[in-house]
Amino acid sequence: LSVLFLAVVNIVSLRSTLLLCGPDEHNLAETAFTDGILKEDERGAQSIMDLGSRVSRKMDFIPAITSAIKKGWAAAPVGKVRFSKSE
């Protein structure tokens, strides 16, 4: 399993943004953070997710990601982009 997330946390406004660099990151983020809001970058790709008031890796990020993986999330096979569990 190889997934990389970069979360930008604004500690003043207590808000976070997740940068999504590939299809597995995109799919896992949508699975783990169901209330996250996808936003378009300057190229029109939905590679940014507003995570709202989540700011703690220990309390907010890791539990959600771990739960998604334990519930059966799996990375797409090499060469195939996976958009949902039904594919």
Side-chain angles (χ1 to χ4, degrees):
L1 180 61
S2 295
V3 179
L4 177 68
F5 286 121
L6 174 62
V8 179
V9 179
N10 182 328
I11 60 171
V12 175
S13 66
L14 296 176
R15 300 203 48 90
S16 294
T17 302
L18 193 63
L19 306 180
L20 309 171
C21 62
D24 288 337
E25 287 82 359
H26 192 279
N27 185 262
L28 180 54
E30 284 188 306
T31 303
F33 306 110
T34 56
D35 60 342
I37 300 168
L38 285 170
K39 297 185 175 189
E40 291 184 355
D41 62 19
E42 66 277 354
R43 298 171 290 142
Q46 290 187 327
S47 62
I48 300 167
M49 180 179 275
D50 180 350
L51 294 178
S53 61
R54 289 183 180 94
V55 294
S56 171
R57 289 174 298 187
K58 189 177 187 180
M59 296 173 59
D60 298 320
F61 299 138
I62 300 302
I65 293 168
T66 301
S67 176
I69 293 169
K70 284 183 177 180
K71 287 179 181 176
W73 181 89
V78 175
K80 178 167 174 34
V81 176
R82 179 177 167 190
F83 293 101
S84 69
K85 289 184 178 183
S86 63
E87 291 184 28

Coordinates of all heavy atoms in Angstrom, one line a residue:
L1 N 0.9 -1.2 0.0 CA 0.0 0.0 0.0 C 0.9 1.2 0.0 O 1.7 1.4 0.9 CB -0.9 0.0 1.2 CG -1.9 1.1 1.4 CD1 -2.8 1.2 0.3 CD2 -2.6 1.0 2.7
S2 N 0.8 2.0 -1.0 CA 1.6 3.3 -1.1 C 0.6 4.4 -1.4 O 0.2 4.6 -2.5 CB 2.6 3.1 -2.3 OG 3.5 2.2 -2.0
V3 N 0.4 5.2 -0.4 CA -0.4 6.4 -0.5 C 0.3 7.5 0.3 O 0.8 7.3 1.3 CB -1.8 6.2 0.1 CG1 -2.7 7.4 0.0 CG2 -2.5 5.0 -0.6
L4 N 0.3 8.7 -0.3 CA 0.9 9.8 0.3 C -0.1 11.0 0.4 O -0.7 11.4 -0.6 CB 2.2 10.2 -0.5 CG 2.9 11.5 0.1 CD1 3.6 11.2 1.4 CD2 3.9 11.9 -0.9
F5 N -0.2 11.6 1.6 CA -1.1 12.7 1.8 C -0.2 13.9 2.3 O 0.7 13.7 3.1 CB -2.2 12.5 2.8 CG -3.3 11.6 2.3 CD1 -3.6 10.4 3.0 CD2 -4.1 12.0 1.2 CE1 -4.6 9.6 2.5 CE2 -5.1 11.2 0.8 CZ -5.4 10.0 1.5
L6 N -0.6 15.1 1.8 CA 0.0 16.3 2.3 C -1.1 17.2 2.8 O -2.0 17.6 2.0 CB 0.8 17.0 1.3 CG 1.4 18.4 1.7 CD1 2.4 18.3 2.9 CD2 2.1 19.1 0.6
A7 N -1.2 17.4 4.1 CA -2.2 18.2 4.7 C -1.6 19.5 5.1 O -0.6 19.6 5.8 CB -2.8 17.5 6.0
V8 N -2.2 20.6 4.6 CA -1.8 22.0 5.0 C -2.7 22.4 6.1 O -3.9 22.5 5.9 CB -1.8 22.9 3.8 CG1 -1.4 24.3 4.2 CG2 -1.0 22.3 2.7
V9 N -2.2 22.7 7.3 CA -3.0 23.0 8.4 C -2.8 24.5 8.8 O -1.6 24.9 9.0 CB -2.7 22.1 9.6 CG1 -3.5 22.5 10.8 CG2 -2.9 20.7 9.3
N10 N -3.8 25.3 8.8 CA -3.8 26.7 9.2 C -4.1 26.7 10.7 O -5.2 26.5 11.1 CB -4.8 27.5 8.5 CG -4.7 29.0 8.8 OD1 -4.4 29.3 9.9 ND2 -5.0 29.8 7.8
I11 N -3.1 26.8 11.5 CA -3.3 26.8 13.0 C -3.9 28.0 13.6 O -4.3 28.0 14.7 CB -1.9 26.4 13.7 CG1 -0.9 27.5 13.5 CG2 -1.5 25.1 13.4 CD1 0.4 27.3 14.3
V12 N -3.9 29.1 12.8 CA -4.6 30.3 13.2 C -6.1 30.2 13.1 O -6.9 30.4 14.0 CB -4.1 31.6 12.5 CG1 -4.8 32.8 12.9 CG2 -2.6 31.7 12.7
S13 N -6.5 29.8 11.9 CA -8.0 29.6 11.6 C -8.5 28.2 12.0 O -9.7 28.0 11.9 CB -8.3 30.0 10.2 OG -7.8 29.0 9.3
L14 N -7.6 27.3 12.3 CA -7.9 25.9 12.7 C -8.7 25.2 11.6 O -9.8 24.7 11.8 CB -8.7 25.9 14.0 CG -7.9 26.3 15.2 CD1 -8.8 26.3 16.5 CD2 -6.6 25.5 15.4
R15 N -8.1 25.2 10.4 CA -8.7 24.6 9.2 C -7.6 23.9 8.5 O -6.4 24.2 8.5 CB -9.4 25.6 8.3 CG -10.5 26.4 9.0 CD -11.5 27.0 8.2 NE -12.1 26.2 7.2 CZ -13.2 25.5 7.3 NH1 -13.8 25.3 8.5 NH2 -13.7 24.8 6.3
S16 N -8.0 22.8 7.7 CA -7.0 22.0 7.0 C -7.4 21.8 5.5 O -8.6 21.7 5.2 CB -6.8 20.7 7.6 OG -6.3 20.8 8.9
T17 N -6.4 21.7 4.7 CA -6.6 21.4 3.3 C -5.7 20.2 3.0 O -4.6 20.1 3.4 CB -6.2 22.6 2.4 OG1 -7.0 23.7 2.8 CG2 -6.4 22.3 0.9
L18 N -6.3 19.2 2.3 CA -5.6 18.0 1.9 C -5.3 18.1 0.4 O -6.2 18.3 -0.4 CB -6.4 16.8 2.2 CG -5.8 15.4 2.2 CD1 -4.7 15.3 3.2 CD2 -6.8 14.3 2.4
L19 N -4.0 17.9 0.0 CA -3.6 17.9 -1.4 C -3.5 16.4 -1.8 O -2.9 15.6 -1.2 CB -2.2 18.5 -1.5 CG -2.1 20.0 -1.0 CD1 -0.7 20.5 -1.2 CD2 -3.1 20.9 -1.6
L20 N -4.2 16.2 -3.0 CA -4.4 14.8 -3.5 C -3.6 14.7 -4.8 O -3.9 15.3 -5.8 CB -5.9 14.5 -3.7 CG -6.8 14.8 -2.6 CD1 -8.2 14.7 -3.0 CD2 -6.5 13.9 -1.4
C21 N -2.5 13.8 -4.7 CA -1.6 13.8 -5.8 C -1.8 12.6 -6.8 O -1.2 12.5 -7.8 CB -0.2 13.7 -5.3 SG 0.2 12.2 -4.3
G22 N -2.8 11.7 -6.5 CA -3.0 10.6 -7.5 C -4.4 10.0 -7.2 O -5.1 10.4 -6.3
P23 N -4.8 9.0 -8.1 CA -6.1 8.4 -7.9 C -6.3 7.6 -6.6 O -7.4 7.7 -6.1 CB -6.2 7.5 -9.1 CG -4.8 7.3 -9.6 CD -4.0 8.5 -9.2
D24 N -5.3 7.0 -6.1 CA -5.5 6.3 -4.8 C -5.7 7.2 -3.7 O -6.5 7.0 -2.8 CB -4.3 5.3 -4.6 CG -4.2 4.1 -5.5 OD1 -5.3 3.7 -6.0 OD2 -3.1 3.6 -5.7
E25 N -4.9 8.3 -3.7 CA -5.0 9.3 -2.6 C -6.4 10.0 -2.7 O -7.1 10.2 -1.7 CB -4.0 10.4 -2.8 CG -2.6 10.0 -2.4 CD -1.8 9.2 -3.4 OE1 -2.4 8.9 -4.5 OE2 -0.7 8.8 -3.2
H26 N -6.9 10.2 -3.9 CA -8.2 10.8 -4.1 C -9.3 9.9 -3.6 O -10.2 10.3 -2.9 CB -8.4 11.1 -5.6 CG -9.5 12.0 -6.0 ND1 -10.8 11.5 -6.1 CD2 -9.6 13.3 -6.3 CE1 -11.6 12.4 -6.4 NE2 -10.9 13.5 -6.5
N27 N -9.2 8.6 -4.0 CA -10.2 7.7 -3.6 C -10.2 7.4 -2.1 O -11.3 7.4 -1.4 CB -10.0 6.4 -4.3 CG -11.1 5.4 -4.1 OD1 -11.0 4.5 -3.2 ND2 -12.3 5.5 -4.7
L28 N -9.0 7.3 -1.5 CA -9.0 7.1 0.0 C -9.4 8.3 0.7 O -10.2 8.2 1.7 CB -7.5 6.7 0.4 CG -7.3 6.4 1.9 CD1 -8.3 5.4 2.4 CD2 -5.9 6.0 2.1
A29 N -9.1 9.5 0.3 CA -9.6 10.7 0.9 C -11.1 10.8 0.9 O -11.7 11.1 1.9 CB -9.0 11.9 0.3
E30 N -11.7 10.5 -0.2 CA -13.2 10.5 -0.3 C -13.8 9.5 0.6 O -14.9 9.7 1.1 CB -13.6 10.3 -1.8 CG -13.4 11.5 -2.7 CD -14.1 11.3 -4.0 OE1 -13.8 10.3 -4.7 OE2 -14.9 12.1 -4.4
T31 N -13.2 8.3 0.7 CA -13.7 7.3 1.6 C -13.5 7.6 3.1 O -14.4 7.4 3.9 CB -12.9 5.9 1.3 OG1 -13.1 5.6 -0.1 CG2 -13.5 4.8 2.1
A32 N -12.4 8.2 3.4 CA -12.1 8.5 4.8 C -12.8 9.7 5.3 O -13.2 9.8 6.5 CB -10.6 8.6 5.0
F33 N -12.8 10.7 4.5 CA -13.4 12.0 4.9 C -14.6 12.3 4.0 O -14.6 13.1 3.1 CB -12.3 13.1 4.7 CG -11.0 12.8 5.4 CD1 -9.9 12.5 4.6 CD2 -10.9 12.9 6.7 CE1 -8.7 12.3 5.3 CE2 -9.7 12.6 7.4 CZ -8.6 12.3 6.6
T34 N -15.7 11.6 4.4 CA -16.9 11.8 3.5 C -17.5 13.1 3.5 O -18.2 13.5 2.6 CB -18.0 10.7 4.0 OG1 -18.2 11.0 5.4 CG2 -17.5 9.3 3.9
D35 N -17.2 14.0 4.5 CA -17.7 15.3 4.6 C -16.7 16.3 4.0 O -17.0 17.5 4.0 CB -18.2 15.7 6.0 CG -17.1 15.6 7.0 OD1 -16.0 15.0 6.7 OD2 -17.2 16.2 8.1
G36 N -15.6 15.8 3.5 CA -14.6 16.7 2.9 C -15.1 17.3 1.6 O -15.9 16.7 1.0
I37 N -14.7 18.5 1.3 CA -15.2 19.2 0.1 C -14.1 19.3 -0.9 O -13.1 19.9 -0.7 CB -15.7 20.6 0.5 CG1 -16.8 20.5 1.5 CG2 -16.2 21.4 -0.8 CD1 -17.2 21.9 2.1
L38 N -14.3 18.6 -2.1 CA -13.4 18.6 -3.1 C -13.4 20.0 -3.9 O -14.5 20.5 -4.1 CB -13.6 17.5 -4.1 CG -13.2 16.1 -3.7 CD1 -13.8 15.0 -4.6 CD2 -11.7 16.0 -3.6
K39 N -12.2 20.5 -4.2 CA -12.1 21.8 -4.9 C -11.2 21.6 -6.1 O -10.3 20.8 -6.0 CB -11.6 22.8 -3.9 CG -12.6 23.1 -2.8 CD -12.1 24.2 -1.9 CE -13.1 24.5 -0.9 NZ -12.8 25.7 -0.2
E40 N -11.4 22.4 -7.1 CA -10.5 22.3 -8.3 C -9.3 23.2 -8.1 O -9.3 24.2 -7.4 CB -11.3 22.9 -9.5 CG -12.4 22.0 -9.9 CD -13.1 22.5 -11.2 OE1 -12.7 23.6 -11.7 OE2 -14.0 21.7 -11.7
D41 N -8.2 22.6 -8.6 CA -6.9 23.4 -8.7 C -6.9 24.3 -9.9 O -7.9 24.4 -10.6 CB -5.7 22.5 -8.6 CG -5.6 21.5 -9.8 OD1 -6.3 21.8 -10.8 OD2 -4.9 20.5 -9.7
E42 N -5.8 24.9 -10.2 CA -5.8 25.9 -11.3 C -5.9 25.2 -12.7 O -6.2 25.8 -13.7 CB -4.5 26.7 -11.3 CG -3.2 25.9 -11.4 CD -2.7 25.2 -10.2 OE1 -3.2 25.4 -9.1 OE2 -1.7 24.5 -10.3
R43 N -5.7 23.9 -12.7 CA -5.8 23.1 -14.0 C -7.2 22.5 -14.1 O -7.5 21.9 -15.1 CB -4.8 21.9 -14.0 CG -3.4 22.4 -14.0 CD -2.4 21.2 -13.8 NE -2.6 20.7 -12.4 CZ -2.6 19.4 -12.1 NH1 -2.4 18.5 -13.0 NH2 -2.8 19.1 -10.8
G44 N -8.1 22.7 -13.1 CA -9.4 22.2 -13.2 C -9.6 20.8 -12.6 O -10.7 20.3 -12.6
A45 N -8.5 20.2 -12.1 CA -8.6 18.9 -11.5 C -9.0 19.0 -10.0 O -8.7 20.0 -9.4 CB -7.2 18.2 -11.6
Q46 N -9.8 18.1 -9.6 CA -10.2 18.1 -8.2 C -9.1 17.4 -7.3 O -9.3 16.3 -6.9 CB -11.6 17.4 -8.0 CG -12.7 18.1 -8.6 CD -14.0 17.5 -8.3 OE1 -14.2 16.3 -8.2 NE2 -15.1 18.3 -8.1
S47 N -8.1 18.2 -7.0 CA -6.9 17.6 -6.3 C -6.7 18.3 -5.0 O -5.7 18.1 -4.3 CB -5.7 17.8 -7.2 OG -5.4 19.2 -7.4
I48 N -7.7 19.0 -4.5 CA -7.7 19.7 -3.2 C -9.0 19.3 -2.4 O -10.0 19.4 -3.0 CB -7.6 21.2 -3.4 CG1 -6.4 21.6 -4.2 CG2 -7.6 21.9 -2.1 CD1 -6.4 23.0 -4.7
M49 N -8.8 19.0 -1.2 CA -10.0 18.7 -0.3 C -9.9 19.5 0.9 O -9.0 19.5 1.6 CB -10.0 17.2 0.1 CG -11.2 16.8 0.9 SD -11.3 15.1 1.4 CE -12.1 14.4 -0.1
D50 N -11.0 20.3 1.1 CA -11.1 21.1 2.3 C -11.6 20.1 3.4 O -12.7 19.6 3.3 CB -12.2 22.2 2.1 CG -12.4 23.1 3.3 OD1 -11.9 22.8 4.4 OD2 -13.0 24.1 3.1
L51 N -10.8 20.0 4.5 CA -11.2 19.1 5.6 C -11.8 19.8 6.7 O -12.1 19.2 7.8 CB -9.9 18.4 6.1 CG -9.3 17.4 5.1 CD1 -8.1 16.8 5.7 CD2 -10.3 16.3 4.7
G52 N -12.1 21.1 6.5 CA -12.8 21.8 7.6 C -12.0 22.0 8.8 O -10.8 22.4 8.7
S53 N -12.5 21.7 10.0 CA -11.9 22.0 11.2 C -11.0 20.9 11.7 O -10.5 20.9 12.9 CB -12.9 22.4 12.3 OG -13.8 21.3 12.5
R54 N -10.7 19.9 10.9 CA -9.8 18.8 11.3 C -8.4 19.4 11.3 O -7.9 19.9 10.3 CB -9.8 17.7 10.3 CG -11.1 16.8 10.4 CD -11.0 15.7 9.4 NE -12.1 14.9 9.4 CZ -13.1 15.0 8.6 NH1 -13.1 16.0 7.7 NH2 -14.2 14.2 8.7
V55 N -7.7 19.3 12.4 CA -6.3 19.8 12.5 C -5.3 18.9 13.1 O -4.1 19.0 13.0 CB -6.2 21.2 13.2 CG1 -6.9 22.3 12.3 CG2 -6.8 21.1 14.6
S56 N -5.8 17.8 13.8 CA -4.9 16.9 14.5 C -4.7 15.6 13.8 O -5.6 14.9 13.4 CB -5.6 16.6 15.9 OG -4.9 15.6 16.6
R57 N -3.4 15.4 13.5 CA -3.1 14.1 12.9 C -3.5 12.9 13.8 O -4.1 12.0 13.3 CB -1.5 14.0 12.7 CG -1.0 14.9 11.6 CD 0.5 14.8 11.5 NE 1.0 15.3 12.8 CZ 2.2 15.5 13.1 NH1 3.1 15.2 12.2 NH2 2.6 15.9 14.3
K58 N -3.2 13.0 15.0 CA -3.5 11.9 16.0 C -5.0 11.7 16.2 O -5.5 10.6 16.3 CB -2.8 12.2 17.3 CG -2.9 11.1 18.3 CD -2.1 11.6 19.5 CE -1.9 10.5 20.6 NZ -1.1 11.0 21.7
M59 N -5.8 12.8 16.3 CA -7.2 12.6 16.6 C -8.1 12.7 15.4 O -9.2 12.2 15.4 CB -7.6 13.7 17.6 CG -6.9 13.6 18.9 SD -7.2 15.0 20.0 CE -9.0 15.0 20.2
D60 N -7.7 13.3 14.3 CA -8.6 13.6 13.2 C -8.2 12.8 11.9 O -9.1 12.2 11.2 CB -8.7 15.1 12.8 CG -9.3 15.9 13.9 OD1 -10.2 15.4 14.6 OD2 -8.7 17.0 14.1
F61 N -6.9 12.8 11.6 CA -6.5 12.2 10.3 C -6.3 10.7 10.3 O -6.9 10.0 9.6 CB -5.2 12.9 9.8 CG -5.3 14.4 9.5 CD1 -4.3 15.2 9.9 CD2 -6.5 14.9 8.9 CE1 -4.4 16.6 9.7 CE2 -6.6 16.3 8.7 CZ -5.6 17.1 9.1
I62 N -5.5 10.3 11.2 CA -5.1 8.8 11.3 C -6.3 7.9 11.6 O -6.5 6.9 10.9 CB -4.0 8.6 12.3 CG1 -2.7 9.4 11.9 CG2 -3.7 7.1 12.5 CD1 -2.2 9.1 10.6
P63 N -7.2 8.3 12.5 CA -8.3 7.4 12.8 C -9.3 7.2 11.6 O -9.7 6.1 11.3 CB -9.1 8.0 13.9 CG -8.0 8.8 14.7 CD -7.1 9.3 13.6
A64 N -9.5 8.3 10.8 CA -10.4 8.2 9.7 C -9.8 7.4 8.5 O -10.4 6.6 7.9 CB -10.7 9.7 9.2
I65 N -8.5 7.6 8.3 CA -7.8 6.8 7.2 C -7.7 5.4 7.6 O -8.0 4.5 6.8 CB -6.4 7.5 7.0 CG1 -6.6 8.9 6.4 CG2 -5.6 6.5 6.1 CD1 -5.3 9.7 6.3
T66 N -7.3 5.1 8.9 CA -7.2 3.7 9.4 C -8.5 3.0 9.3 O -8.6 1.8 8.8 CB -6.7 3.7 10.8 OG1 -5.4 4.3 10.8 CG2 -6.5 2.3 11.3
S67 N -9.6 3.7 9.7 CA -10.9 3.1 9.6 C -11.3 2.7 8.2 O -11.9 1.6 7.9 CB -12.0 4.0 10.2 OG -13.3 3.5 10.1
A68 N -11.1 3.6 7.2 CA -11.4 3.4 5.8 C -10.7 2.1 5.3 O -11.2 1.3 4.6 CB -11.1 4.6 5.0
I69 N -9.4 2.0 5.6 CA -8.6 0.9 5.2 C -9.1 -0.4 5.8 O -9.3 -1.5 5.2 CB -7.1 1.1 5.5 CG1 -6.6 2.2 4.6 CG2 -6.3 -0.2 5.2 CD1 -5.2 2.7 4.9
K70 N -9.4 -0.4 7.1 CA -9.9 -1.6 7.8 C -11.3 -2.0 7.3 O -11.6 -3.2 7.4 CB -9.9 -1.3 9.3 CG -8.6 -1.3 10.0 CD -8.7 -1.2 11.5 CE -7.3 -1.3 12.1 NZ -7.4 -1.1 13.6
K71 N -12.0 -1.1 6.8 CA -13.4 -1.4 6.3 C -13.3 -2.0 4.9 O -14.3 -2.3 4.3 CB -14.3 -0.2 6.3 CG -14.7 0.2 7.7 CD -15.6 1.4 7.7 CE -16.0 1.8 9.1 NZ -16.8 3.0 9.1
G72 N -12.1 -2.1 4.3 CA -11.9 -2.8 3.0 C -11.4 -1.9 1.9 O -11.3 -2.4 0.8
W73 N -11.1 -0.7 2.1 CA -10.5 0.1 1.0 C -9.3 -0.5 0.6 O -8.4 -1.0 1.3 CB -10.2 1.6 1.5 CG -9.7 2.4 0.4 CD1 -10.4 3.1 -0.5 CD2 -8.3 2.6 0.0 NE1 -9.6 3.7 -1.4 CE2 -8.3 3.4 -1.1 CE3 -7.1 2.1 0.5 CZ2 -7.1 3.7 -1.8 CZ3 -6.0 2.4 -0.2 CH2 -6.0 3.3 -1.3
A74 N -9.1 -0.5 -0.8 CA -7.8 -1.1 -1.3 C -7.4 -0.2 -2.5 O -8.3 0.4 -3.2 CB -8.0 -2.5 -1.8
A75 N -6.1 -0.1 -2.7 CA -5.6 0.7 -3.8 C -6.0 0.0 -5.1 O -6.2 -1.2 -5.2 CB -4.1 0.8 -3.7
A76 N -6.1 0.8 -6.2 CA -6.5 0.3 -7.5 C -5.3 -0.5 -8.0 O -4.1 -0.2 -7.7 CB -6.7 1.5 -8.5
P77 N -5.6 -1.6 -8.8 CA -4.5 -2.3 -9.4 C -3.7 -1.4 -10.3 O -4.2 -0.4 -10.9 CB -5.2 -3.4 -10.2 CG -6.6 -3.5 -9.6 CD -6.9 -2.1 -9.1
V78 N -2.4 -1.7 -10.5 CA -1.6 -0.9 -11.4 C -2.2 -0.8 -12.8 O -2.6 -1.8 -13.4 CB -0.2 -1.6 -11.5 CG1 0.7 -0.8 -12.5 CG2 0.5 -1.6 -10.1
G79 N -2.3 0.4 -13.3 CA -2.9 0.7 -14.6 C -4.4 0.9 -14.6 O -4.9 1.2 -15.6
K80 N -5.0 0.8 -13.4 CA -6.5 0.9 -13.4 C -6.8 2.0 -12.3 O -6.3 1.9 -11.2 CB -7.2 -0.4 -13.0 CG -8.7 -0.2 -12.9 CD -9.3 -1.6 -12.8 CE -10.8 -1.6 -12.6 NZ -11.6 -0.5 -13.0
V81 N -7.6 2.9 -12.7 CA -8.0 4.0 -11.7 C -9.3 3.4 -11.1 O -10.3 3.1 -11.8 CB -8.3 5.3 -12.4 CG1 -8.8 6.3 -11.5 CG2 -7.0 5.8 -13.0
R82 N -9.4 3.4 -9.8 CA -10.6 2.9 -9.1 C -11.3 4.1 -8.5 O -10.8 4.9 -7.8 CB -10.1 2.0 -8.0 CG -11.3 1.4 -7.2 CD -10.7 0.5 -6.2 NE -11.8 0.2 -5.2 CZ -11.6 -0.4 -4.1 NH1 -10.5 -0.9 -3.8 NH2 -12.7 -0.6 -3.3
F83 N -12.6 4.2 -8.9 CA -13.4 5.3 -8.4 C -14.4 4.9 -7.3 O -14.8 5.8 -6.5 CB -14.2 6.0 -9.5 CG -13.2 6.7 -10.5 CD1 -12.9 6.1 -11.7 CD2 -12.7 7.9 -10.2 CE1 -12.1 6.7 -12.6 CE2 -11.8 8.5 -11.1 CZ -11.5 7.9 -12.3
S84 N -14.7 3.7 -7.2 CA -15.6 3.2 -6.2 C -15.4 1.8 -5.9 O -14.7 1.1 -6.6 CB -17.1 3.4 -6.6 OG -17.4 2.5 -7.7
K85 N -16.0 1.3 -4.8 CA -15.8 -0.1 -4.4 C -16.5 -1.1 -5.4 O -16.1 -2.2 -5.5 CB -16.5 -0.3 -3.0 CG -15.7 0.3 -1.9 CD -16.3 -0.1 -0.6 CE -15.5 0.5 0.6 NZ -16.0 0.2 1.9
S86 N -17.4 -0.6 -6.2 CA -18.1 -1.5 -7.1 C -17.3 -1.7 -8.4 O -17.6 -2.6 -9.2 CB -19.5 -0.9 -7.5 OG -19.3 0.4 -8.2
E87 N -16.2 -1.0 -8.6 CA -15.4 -1.2 -9.8 C -14.4 -2.2 -9.6 O -13.8 -2.3 -8.6 CB -14.8 0.1 -10.2 CG -15.8 1.1 -10.7 CD -15.2 2.4 -11.2 OE1 -14.0 2.4 -11.7 OE2 -15.8 3.4 -11.1

